Amino acid sequence: LMFAVCVACDSFNLLNTFIPPSATVNKRFEASQEWNQSNLPLIIQSVTDDYSFFVSSDWHVVNHNTDHIRHFMSIARNCQESLFILALGDFVTTKGCIPDAAEAIVFDAATQLKNDTVLATAGNHDLYFNQWEDYQTYFKTATYAYVVKTPHFQDFFIVLDSGNGTLGNEQVAWLEQLLTQRITYRDCFFCTHTNFFITDKNAALARNFPID
């Protein structure tokens, strides 16, 4: 249990083999914001006020096998009502497979009707064994916000990096600032890897830690 807690939570910072200091939650937040600031904010347009989107996580690619991801992508991109796809972390189990997961989400015109955007964030398994750099290379950012515009409304999506089981003080301050804009939007969605709240006392390591 102690081993699992140490790996999951930045507060201990004991197992740099798994998550080195250069990839702690504040460092990842800063790197994500640097990328965000050099790219235009994402706005997704919907022609109707009601729309759908797909959510998936925990692909856990092992030994470069991505058939399950490609199958899921085809289902999602062949759904006419869906606008985009959320991929909320733990893409890999085996070290070095983040490039495989990224390749599996590339649009395939032979099996997919439309090229829906995939919006990702990191999970704990994506950070182990110094893989944050691979995540950055292929998925670019883990903390960001975007807007879905419909004919009569706007919806706000906030994507958070909880890969260590904590958001970190810098990300929390950013989130608090974003929430001052909440009144502008119809609905506000939080998208992250670990659960915000305790729903099952047996799943202690699948939620944010009490520090948050």
Side-chain angles (χ1 to χ4, degrees):
L1 176 61
M2 196 63 199
F3 176 82
V5 170
C6 289
V7 170
C9 185
D10 266 348
S11 301
F12 294 92
N13 196 28
L14 297 177
L15 295 174
N16 292 338
T17 300
F18 293 91
I19 304 175
S22 61
T24 55
V25 63
N26 281 342
K27 292 291 186 181
R28 297 196 310 273
F29 172 76
E30 292 164 5
S32 291
Q33 292 307 296
E34 183 178 349
W35 189 89
N36 296 342
Q37 289 163 12
S38 62
N39 291 270
L40 293 175
L42 177 63
I43 298 175
I44 297 175
Q45 299 284 348
S46 173
V47 297
T48 60
D49 288 334
D50 295 325
Y51 58 89
S52 299
F53 55 92
F54 278 76
V55 183
S56 181
S57 70
D58 295 84
W59 296 340
H60 286 288
V61 175
V62 176
N63 297 328
H64 312 290
N65 180 10
T66 59
D67 289 347
H68 57 304
I69 303 176
R70 297 176 194 276
H71 180 62
F72 169 72
M73 286 294 150
S74 293
I75 292 173
R77 287 179 168 146
N78 289 334
C79 176
Q80 293 289 358
E81 296 79 15
S82 179
L83 291 184
F84 55 89
I85 300 161
L86 284 164
L88 301 182
D90 274 8
F91 303 135
V92 302
T93 296
T94 307
K95 180 181 178 181
C97 288
I98 286 180
D100 300 303
E103 182 182 356
I105 69 173
V106 173
F107 175 62
D108 179 5
T111 61
Q112 300 166 10
L113 293 177
K114 49 197 176 69
N115 187 11
D116 291 346
T117 300
V118 177
L119 298 149
T121 192
N124 48 303
H125 283 86
D126 306 318
L127 305 176
Y128 297 161
F129 307 110
N130 304 343
Q131 292 188 107
W132 168 243
E133 289 186 3
D134 277 351
Y135 177 93
Q136 277 188 288
T137 297
Y138 292 95
F139 296 103
K140 309 304 181 186
T141 178
T143 305
Y144 52 98
Y146 63 97
V147 173
V148 175
K149 285 190 174 182
T150 78
H152 300 99
F153 303 102
Q154 294 187 102
D155 295 328
F156 202 25
F157 287 76
I158 301 173
V159 181
L160 301 171
D161 177 352
S162 60
N164 294 132
T166 177
L167 301 179
N169 60 312
E170 293 186 22
Q171 191 173 200
V172 167
W174 173 82
L175 175 59
E176 289 175 342
Q177 189 279 325
L178 280 186
L179 290 177
T180 63
Q181 308 170 35
R182 170 65 182 91
I183 195 172
T184 307
Y185 301 98
R186 173 180 60 174
D187 292 320
C188 182
F189 296 85
F190 294 89
C191 314
T192 191
H193 181 66
T194 58
N195 296 319
F196 263 16
F197 307 109
I198 302 173
T199 57
D200 181 351
K201 292 181 180 179
N202 296 319
L205 296 179
R207 63 175 175 84
N208 283 333
F209 279 77
I211 191 171
D212 288 345

